Amino acid sequence: MSSPIVLHLPHASTLIPEDLRNDFLLSDQELLGELARITDHATDVIFQQAFPEAKAIVFPVSRLVVDPERFSDDSREPMSRVGMGVTYTRGSLRQPLREQPTEGKRQELLERYYIPHHQKLTEAVEESLYANDHCLIIDGHSFPALPLPYELNQTAFRPDFCLGTDDFHTPEELVERVETILESCGYSTARDQPFSGPIVRMKHYHKYRRVQSLMIEINRWLY
């Protein structure tokens, strides 16, 4: 039987495709600095080592190109208020990143990266449901020890691990078990602070309790 766990690792890549480099207004040095700040470095390695039997869905390019964890409709995406909807026009320091993409360019990026990624995630969840009758999505991220200017939550408290939950898809006993394991190792935890909510595809969202999801965010100072 296959593992019931599906890893979603959306922000680990630093790749800017060569044909898209000129879309960005930053110099090479500035772009490297932005990638250093905005990338969830090594989360693809960390989570796959922690869950070696799990199916891993890893986004192949940087979130600066297109962010697979944003709603594709900016009217539904809170981060679009700071220029960081599905296609960022502002960076982590709220600096200009690129011009607003045309509708054609935006659709091209969605079709090239965003839509195939979400299709793979949906297929992996469906395969797990077929094989195991349930699925647990672990949404793997990291965050800096100090809040960056773009973040909506600027509170000073930053735990070692942030656990993002959903009232429908995240069972209380699951969160408690993860908290117990982490805290027994000496780590601090917080729920939905400084970030909240795990990913669930709209096909399953608030429809199937057999699809569970938990976001695990690691404070980067730990590694």
Side-chain angles (χ1 to χ4, degrees):
M1 183 176 289
S2 64
S3 171
I5 297 175
V6 172
L7 297 176
H8 183 239
L9 305 167
H11 294 158
S13 177
T14 59
L15 177 64
I16 303 291
E18 187 174 340
D19 64 310
L20 300 177
R21 171 62 183 91
N22 289 336
D23 291 354
F24 295 91
L25 304 173
L26 307 181
S27 68
D28 289 347
Q29 184 175 359
E30 289 169 336
L31 184 58
L32 287 174
E34 182 61 20
L35 288 168
R37 288 186 296 271
I38 204 70
T39 304
D40 292 352
H41 299 280
T43 48
D44 51 342
V45 175
I46 292 168
F47 282 93
Q48 288 186 84
Q49 287 183 346
F51 303 96
E53 302 302 318
K55 175 79 171 181
I57 307 299
V58 184
F59 196 55
V61 297
S62 169
R63 63 193 290 189
L64 296 180
V65 175
V66 60
D67 192 334
E69 286 234 322
R70 303 290 197 247
F71 285 112
S72 58
D73 180 357
D74 279 344
S75 68
R76 301 178 60 196
E77 177 53 59
M79 292 303 296
S80 66
R81 303 199 312 263
V82 293
M84 299 181 78
V86 69
T87 51
Y88 297 0
T89 57
R90 296 276 171 172
S92 61
L93 305 180
R94 300 205 175 193
Q95 80 277 32
L97 183 70
R98 65 179 163 197
E99 302 293 342
Q100 181 68 45
T102 64
E103 187 56 38
K105 181 69 173 185
R106 186 178 185 278
Q107 190 61 33
E108 175 191 333
L109 293 173
L110 292 176
E111 292 178 0
R112 183 172 171 181
Y113 296 113
Y114 184 100
I115 294 172
H117 176 80
H118 282 281
Q119 288 174 338
K120 289 179 183 179
L121 178 59
T122 300
E123 289 168 2
V125 172
E126 291 288 317
E127 289 170 4
S128 179
L129 288 173
Y130 180 80
N132 305 288
D133 199 40
H134 67 281
C135 177
L136 170 60
I137 303 168
I138 295 180
D139 197 18
H141 294 264
S142 69
F143 60 96
L146 296 174
L148 290 167
Y150 83 92
E151 296 179 22
L152 300 182
N153 186 340
Q154 290 288 314
T155 54
F157 173 64
R158 295 246 148 172
D160 294 329
F161 286 87
C162 163
L163 304 178
T165 67
D166 177 88
D167 291 341
F168 188 92
H169 291 284
T170 313
E172 175 65 22
E173 58 269 24
L174 172 64
V175 187
E176 290 179 353
R177 183 177 179 186
V178 173
E179 287 172 334
T180 297
I181 292 170
L182 292 172
E183 290 168 9
S184 71
C185 296
Y187 298 118
S188 62
T189 67
R191 298 190 189 188
D192 298 306
Q193 292 289 335
F195 300 100
S196 62
I199 194 167
V200 180
R201 292 294 296 127
M202 292 306 298
K203 179 177 182 178
H204 308 114
Y205 184 66
H206 284 200
K207 298 174 185 175
Y208 302 100
R209 291 192 184 275
R210 294 180 301 148
V211 178
Q212 301 174 354
S213 189
L214 176 67
M215 181 172 71
I216 301 178
E217 294 242 13
I218 308 170
N219 194 317
R220 288 180 201 152
W221 83 266
L222 291 173
Y223 69 99

